[in-house]
Amino acid sequence: MNEGKRRNGTELGKRFYNRLSRESREHSSGNLNDVNGLKDLATTGGITYEEALLLFAAPEDLEEAVRKKEASEKDRSSLQRLLGWSDEKRKLKVLSRADTEEQALVGMKYGAQGIGLMRGEALLYSKNQPLNKVYRNWLESRGETKKQHYRFRLISLWTEEWMGVLQAASGCPCAVSLAWDRRVECSPQDRVELQDIQLESVYRAAARCQSEGLDCQLELLALWPSDVSDFTEAHDFIEEVGSQTLCQLKPSVNIKIGALLHPDILPSDAAEIARLADVIVIDTEMEPGLRGMVEENVCDRIWERIRMQEPIAEWANPALQHSNLEETIRQIRCVKPNIGIRAVGEVTVSDLKAVYRLGVTEVCCAPSMMAAVRLAGVRFEKM
């Protein structure tokens, strides 16, 4: 393609994008429901060659094409135009999984719509050596005076770390689970005390962000409640610490209380928890890492052979094939049809088949997968 044709194709691509962006479209060729219409546009120059590759690539090719496009120092306008259009039209929310402020910043840089999960204890092991040292001292101290001394220092240092995470989220949702450090042996009382310290630190960080003009959307998640009584206890605990820490500022801080559900939970218990929860997060990281399935010899037609009505056990990847998962989500939807349900493993393009089949509305991705999942999501929804 010579430079003149490339410039002409870019201009036609912009016009095509503008036409797609209009809410009222009179011709099927401006709608992704008509895949053949888009192919005709691609061959006749209605979109650029680069846009056509991104729109019609098979899953593994799409990921590779996006990686090359992001790594290129040349014009990225085609990719950015398609991503912006996808974010506007797509219902599926694409968030980032993070364990540190640095990971949160990278995820947001790559277009995440928020932090889908940060495990409560993760920051204790980040690069902040003083925080980890004080945490260890708090765990090992025995006298009440020393314990209180390290508690105050732990709250102070942890608050600063949470501030960085909330600032990285830039006003987008930021989900944090109650801390449960499996790397250490400690008493049940110490585990509850650690959660109390964590919540006070998070609330203090949110209040400071609010005072500095940054609106936070904080999602606090009960960790693996086994039934509604477990969730109610955690919910009341989160509320109590919030009221005592924020006092009169509490109504001004945007806080949702949800549940991080273990995949082994009974569907009926998950449904009862959903009655009280603001958001449901499925802890698919407790299963093997997500590995997508691609049908043999149909890569060029993968998007036209989704077969969404098949029983899920016949094609889902291991993490989303848990025996309870489909029934769990079905029962949650019966109780609260519009609640957000999020899968928090590192979802890839090939996993979206299972995501949409299950009715999951939000996913977490690694930054390297973010653009491909954002593009592929709108294709599923428009087909």
Side-chain angles (χ1 to χ4, degrees):
M1 183 185 293
N2 62 35
E3 188 60 31
K5 288 183 178 180
R6 184 178 298 277
R7 282 199 301 269
N8 186 47
T10 299
E11 184 57 37
L12 287 170
K14 288 178 180 177
R15 294 211 304 268
F16 170 61
Y17 167 72
N18 290 334
R19 192 189 333 161
L20 279 178
S21 297
R22 297 190 192 101
E23 287 300 323
S24 57
R25 293 188 288 268
E26 297 179 354
H27 304 290
S28 62
S29 60
N31 193 324
L32 268 177
N33 284 319
D34 187 352
V35 177
N36 289 327
L38 272 178
K39 289 179 179 176
D40 291 340
L41 280 172
T43 57
T44 58
I47 55 177
T48 65
Y49 174 70
E50 291 84 0
E51 288 169 332
L53 285 177
L54 291 172
L55 280 168
F56 302 119
E60 68 279 5
D61 296 332
L62 177 60
E63 293 172 6
E64 180 63 22
V66 168
R67 277 195 295 269
K68 287 182 178 178
K69 200 72 174 172
E70 290 178 330
S72 173
E73 296 300 322
K74 298 180 180 179
D75 178 34
R76 305 181 191 178
S77 59
S78 295
L79 176 61
Q80 294 308 316
R81 181 163 58 249
L82 289 174
L83 287 173
W85 173 72
S86 173
D87 291 342
E88 179 186 347
K89 301 299 180 183
R90 191 187 62 248
K91 294 180 181 178
L92 182 75
K93 291 183 69 174
V94 181
L95 305 100
S96 179
R97 175 73 173 82
D99 283 328
T100 65
E101 176 189 346
E102 291 76 14
Q103 290 176 4
L105 284 167
V106 172
M108 297 302 294
K109 175 184 175 183
Y110 276 80
Q113 293 171 281
I115 308 303
L117 177 65
M118 175 169 279
R119 296 193 182 271
E121 67 280 1
L123 288 176
L124 297 172
Y125 294 96
S126 65
K127 295 179 180 178
N128 189 328
Q129 293 299 319
L131 175 61
N132 182 260
K133 183 177 180 180
V134 169
Y135 170 53
R136 291 287 178 177
N137 288 336
W138 173 80
L139 283 171
E140 295 166 4
S141 60
R142 292 293 174 261
E144 187 63 27
T145 302
K146 272 197 170 183
K147 199 81 170 175
Q148 286 300 313
H149 168 73
Y150 287 120
R151 175 193 168 95
F152 293 142
R153 292 189 61 193
L154 188 54
I155 289 173
S156 177
L157 292 170
W158 217 352
T159 298
E160 293 300 318
E161 292 293 296
W162 290 121
M163 279 281 293
V165 172
L166 293 174
Q167 288 169 348
S170 301
C172 294
C174 181
V176 179
S177 64
L178 289 182
W180 188 270
D181 189 357
R182 287 172 287 174
R183 305 187 200 187
V184 299
E185 292 290 337
C186 61
S187 67
Q189 293 82 359
D190 279 344
R191 293 198 185 278
V192 174
E193 178 72 6
L194 180 63
Q195 291 178 356
D196 186 272
I197 294 170
Q198 173 208 4
L199 286 172
E200 184 172 342
S201 304
V202 172
Y203 282 128
R204 287 179 182 274
R208 282 179 54 185
C209 285
Q210 291 285 117
S211 67
E212 294 177 7
L214 176 62
D215 290 330
C216 300
Q217 295 187 55
L218 188 58
E219 298 174 350
L220 297 173
L221 307 176
L223 180 67
W224 303 338
S226 59
D227 53 32
V228 70
S229 62
D230 271 359
F231 178 72
T232 301
E233 183 179 349
H235 185 285
D236 292 346
F237 177 53
I238 292 169
E239 285 276 22
E240 180 184 5
V241 177
S243 297
Q244 293 172 353
T245 304
L246 297 174
C247 300
Q248 71 274 13
L249 292 176
K250 190 171 184 292
S252 67
V253 180
N254 188 350
I255 296 171
K256 293 181 179 179
I257 299 178
L260 180 62
L261 298 182
H262 193 284
D264 284 332
I265 190 170
L266 292 176
S268 57
D269 288 324
E272 289 303 307
I273 289 169
R275 289 183 190 275
L276 304 177
D278 298 319
V279 62
I280 293 293
V281 180
I282 308 294
D283 198 353
T284 50
E285 291 178 347
M286 298 310 297
E287 287 290 277
L290 301 187
R291 296 288 186 271
M293 284 174 47
V294 179
E295 299 173 64
E296 282 188 1
N297 302 322
V298 294
C299 288
D300 58 332
R301 294 176 55 80
I302 190 74
W303 300 105
E304 297 161 83
R305 299 183 58 177
I306 297 175
R307 301 202 297 272
M308 296 291 252
Q309 301 307 316
E310 289 179 356
I312 190 167
E314 292 182 11
W315 48 257
N317 60 59
L320 296 173
Q321 195 181 345
H322 193 280
S323 57
N324 284 348
L325 195 52
E326 186 171 23
E327 180 62 16
T328 294
I329 293 176
R330 188 192 71 79
Q331 292 201 29
I332 289 173
R333 290 287 179 218
C334 287
V335 169
K336 193 176 283 188
N338 297 320
I339 192 171
I341 300 179
R342 183 181 309 154
V344 298
E346 291 190 348
V347 172
T348 68
V349 169
S350 299
D351 298 319
L352 290 182
K353 186 177 180 181
V355 165
Y356 279 103
R357 172 64 178 83
L358 286 165
V360 171
T361 56
E362 305 174 8
V363 295
C364 282
C365 297
S368 60
M369 290 291 106
M370 198 79 62
V373 171
R374 289 161 66 193
L375 282 179
V378 77
R379 288 161 54 168
F380 268 103
E381 292 179 21
K382 292 291 182 182
M383 287 181 64

